Amino acid sequence: MTGRVAALPLVAVVAMGQNRVIGREGAMPWQVPSDLKRYRRLTMGKPMIMGRKTLVSIGRVLDGRDSIVLTRGAGLPFEGALAAASKEEALALAEACARSRGSDEIVIAGGEEIYRLFFEDLDRLYVTEVMAMPGGDARFPEIDPAVFEPVLREEPQRGERDSAATRFVIYQRAGADRARRWPAGEGGQTES
């Protein structure tokens, strides 16, 4: 890990194809409404650090969460988003938002550049593996099994409107101390 010091775990929440594709031309290359419900549960009440393109692809600031946008440009496309000009500023804003909300994690929400920028600092990965090999122009970094160990796997029932089946996996950074592994009361389990 890098020299980042934070009071809260830094986590990535991502859906990716079996080929690590996370996006195509600013959109997800699948339709999996059942996973969007999980995404909402995992991110609700938490600060989310994302890039400008990710916010634009979402189309709005998500309710009940803080959207911190790491951007080189001036101005943001949606009212209510918070701009950060650097990784350090984004983390400081996220930690202040987390304190004010009583949040137990800081979420890295994408896209590719943002995941890569924070990847060495991540404590945990919440990964929805979409059982497809879509074409795309954005990929999630390679998950090294020597660095991240799977600690929970679930194979949820495919929703009738889902374009592909999914598998949900939580990866924990190997050797992370217990205090940073799981927020109080979570005990290593998530709802699905």
Side-chain angles (χ1 to χ4, degrees):
M1 288 190 38
T2 64
R4 180 186 73 86
V5 176
L8 296 173
L10 191 61
V11 304
V13 179
V14 64
M16 67 177 178
Q18 293 171 293
N19 54 359
R20 299 186 358 263
V21 165
I22 60 173
R24 179 175 54 221
E25 297 176 5
M28 289 186 289
W30 49 72
Q31 295 292 321
V32 185
S34 62
D35 186 58
L36 295 177
K37 292 175 185 172
R38 173 184 284 116
Y39 185 86
R40 180 177 175 83
R41 285 192 306 268
L42 288 170
T43 61
M44 185 54 70
K46 299 175 185 176
M48 300 170 53
I49 299 174
M50 65 187 72
R52 181 185 187 89
K53 292 178 193 173
T54 297
L55 179 61
V56 168
S57 74
I58 293 170
R60 63 188 167 88
V61 172
L62 296 174
D63 65 313
R65 292 153 276 190
D66 301 293
S67 296
I68 299 160
V69 181
L70 189 52
T71 181
R72 295 178 198 96
L76 293 174
F78 302 106
E79 187 175 328
L82 304 170
S86 68
K87 177 181 178 178
E88 295 73 24
E89 184 180 0
L91 283 171
L93 277 169
E95 289 178 358
C97 290
R99 278 193 304 276
S100 72
R101 286 186 180 271
S103 302
D104 56 8
E105 296 176 320
I106 295 170
V107 175
I108 303 304
E112 179 179 0
E113 287 182 53
I114 302 302
Y115 286 130
R116 290 191 187 287
L117 180 64
F118 286 93
F119 201 71
E120 294 299 316
D121 299 309
L122 293 172
D123 297 296
R124 189 173 313 119
L125 313 175
Y126 294 111
V127 179
T128 297
E129 298 173 354
V130 179
M131 301 296 117
M133 300 281 281
D137 52 15
R139 290 188 179 339
F140 193 71
E142 187 82 38
I143 300 172
D144 182 346
V147 177
F148 288 101
E149 56 189 348
V151 294
L152 178 97
R153 290 182 194 270
E154 297 175 345
E155 298 209 21
Q157 179 109 11
R158 182 174 174 174
E160 61 185 49
R161 296 187 307 135
D162 293 347
S163 64
T166 61
R167 177 184 310 126
F168 180 64
V169 183
I170 299 176
Y171 294 90
Q172 180 66 42
R173 181 172 291 278
D177 69 42
R178 181 71 185 166
R180 289 192 53 85
R181 287 177 69 104
W182 300 107
E186 192 168 319
Q189 299 297 315
T190 63
E191 51 186 313
S192 62

